[in-house]
Amino acid sequence: MAAKEKLEAILNVALRVPSIMLLDVLYRWDVSSFFQQIQRSSLHNNPLFQYKYLALNMHYVGYILSVVLLTLPRQHLVQLYLYFLTALLLYAGHQISRDYVRSELESGYEGPMYLEPLSMNRFMTALVGQLVVCTLCSCVMKTKQIWLFSAHMLPLLARLCLVPLETIVVINKFAMIFTGLEVLYFLASNLLVPYNLAKSAYRELVQVVEVYGLLALGMSLWNQLVVPVLFMVFWLVLFALQIYSYFSTRDQPASRERLLFLFLTRRELNYQVTTVHENSQFSHNSHRSAGCSPKWNRHPLP
């Protein structure tokens, strides 16, 4: 049981680190300065400049989505990552199919595969790859309807039936469109899920604030998000990236100074967060020892 709890705690932190990193990237990227540089340069006719206001709006939307992902309950966050993994697997299936069709076009051989060892080798390699993709997608989505993820096997089936190579190209495009329509249908059928989730979370927050106050809400979110550990992992990842950047540009003296400054700053920030966490834990334990343990701590927010 303890091992399971530790694994859940590790997942709770690891799944939220990308949200913090995305917030950091959005904070560091100044969209206005980026488009001002484009405007001042000779690239003022760059097509990207036409989408300036769209990029600004998407920048703020990125902030909102990052915060939402950061505060999602663990079970919903895991499900979201599984959906993202399925999308990556479907993209891998498309790449396997596209590479196979391209290699067949380059070879120009349209006869039976068993008469050509290289053609048979390409077919078996692509077939195994597609079977692995379909199996993983069905396992991740927890469904036995494996045909939902097997559209990219149509070019292989067409090649097995000695369909001309030009027709196989059309079949491959159809398979890609069919998979895209499946993804769009899934997104449309779950369009109201984020709204319902946000509505439910808002209702729970209002109830906690009305009964226990803002302090109880803040402590509940602090414990749920494991803020000190989350930021410690985030800073360790950034520090590892800075070390990699330092070794890739270690001939530049400015890189050493930047690395030393970042090292001292991360350590300092980690100490501050740890101190705040210890103080909050001490205050919380004091309340519990006085018999004033709030009930919201035993029922964390979703």
Side-chain angles (χ1 to χ4, degrees):
M1 191 65 180
K4 182 179 180 181
E5 293 178 354
K6 290 182 180 179
L7 179 60
E8 290 179 352
I10 293 174
L11 286 177
N12 189 36
V13 173
L15 296 178
R16 299 183 193 277
V17 170
S19 301
I20 298 289
M21 298 192 68
L22 182 58
L23 283 172
D24 183 69
V25 170
L26 291 173
Y27 176 76
R28 294 174 182 274
W29 184 41
D30 191 349
V31 184
S32 300
S33 301
F34 174 74
F35 283 100
Q36 286 177 2
Q37 292 177 1
I38 294 179
Q39 188 177 13
R40 289 194 300 264
S41 64
S42 58
L43 301 176
H44 61 277
N45 293 326
N46 195 313
L48 290 175
F49 190 75
Q50 302 176 0
Y51 302 98
K52 174 182 178 180
Y53 297 102
L54 178 61
L56 288 173
N57 293 328
M58 293 302 297
H59 189 251
Y60 295 120
V61 171
Y63 275 113
I64 298 174
L65 291 179
S66 299
V67 173
V68 171
L69 292 177
L70 181 62
T71 56
L72 272 179
R74 185 178 62 250
Q75 61 271 20
H76 295 286
L77 196 59
V78 170
Q79 195 66 32
L80 183 64
Y81 273 96
L82 291 179
Y83 292 154
F84 182 71
L85 177 60
T86 303
L88 290 180
L89 288 173
L90 291 175
Y91 177 75
H94 166 68
Q95 290 295 109
I96 293 173
S97 179
R98 189 186 67 172
D99 293 341
Y100 173 74
V101 173
R102 180 184 301 172
S103 61
E104 288 297 304
L105 288 175
E106 291 177 354
S107 67
Y109 178 73
E110 296 186 355
M113 291 178 297
Y114 59 87
L115 297 179
E116 178 64 29
L118 292 178
S119 179
M120 190 66 182
N121 186 31
R122 289 192 298 267
F123 178 83
M124 293 303 300
T125 302
L127 179 62
V128 171
Q130 294 290 11
L131 289 177
V132 170
V133 168
C134 294
T135 304
L136 289 178
C137 287
S138 62
C139 292
V140 170
M141 297 301 293
K142 297 179 181 180
T143 178
K144 295 182 179 180
Q145 298 177 345
I146 196 172
W147 59 270
L148 291 172
F149 316 103
S150 58
H152 290 137
M153 297 184 68
L154 290 177
L156 299 177
L157 181 62
R159 182 66 183 88
L160 190 62
C161 297
L162 299 180
V163 175
L165 296 179
E166 292 79 7
T167 308
I168 293 180
V169 175
V170 178
I171 294 175
N172 184 44
K173 292 181 179 180
F174 169 78
M176 182 179 63
I177 294 174
F178 181 78
T179 304
L181 291 176
E182 283 185 318
V183 174
L184 291 177
Y185 174 76
F186 176 80
L187 293 176
S189 60
N190 294 274
L191 191 61
L192 296 179
V193 171
Y195 171 75
N196 294 329
L197 183 61
K199 185 178 179 180
S200 177
Y202 176 76
R203 189 183 303 113
E204 293 289 337
L205 291 176
V206 171
Q207 291 178 358
V208 171
V209 172
E210 289 179 352
V211 177
Y212 302 108
L214 289 175
L215 181 60
L217 175 62
M219 290 296 298
S220 178
L221 290 176
W222 181 280
N223 294 328
Q224 177 184 346
L225 299 179
V226 199
V227 175
V229 180
L230 178 62
F231 276 94
M232 184 185 68
V233 174
F234 166 66
W235 288 325
L236 286 176
V237 172
L238 284 186
F239 185 62
L241 293 177
Q242 289 294 332
I243 290 178
Y244 174 78
S245 176
Y246 163 71
F247 282 108
S248 61
T249 59
R250 57 183 177 180
D251 295 333
Q252 301 179 6
S255 299
R256 300 188 182 95
E257 297 179 359
R258 185 169 61 250
L259 180 65
L260 180 60
F261 174 77
L262 180 69
F263 179 79
L264 295 176
T265 303
R266 303 297 182 195
R267 284 299 180 81
E268 179 64 23
L269 292 176
N270 187 25
Y271 172 76
Q272 293 177 4
V273 173
T274 304
T275 304
V276 172
H277 175 63
E278 291 177 351
N279 292 335
S280 63
Q281 287 295 108
F282 176 77
S283 176
H284 178 63
N285 293 333
S286 299
H287 282 290
R288 293 190 61 182
S289 62
C292 299
S293 178
K295 296 182 179 179
W296 54 265
N297 193 38
R298 295 194 295 270
H299 302 278
L301 294 178

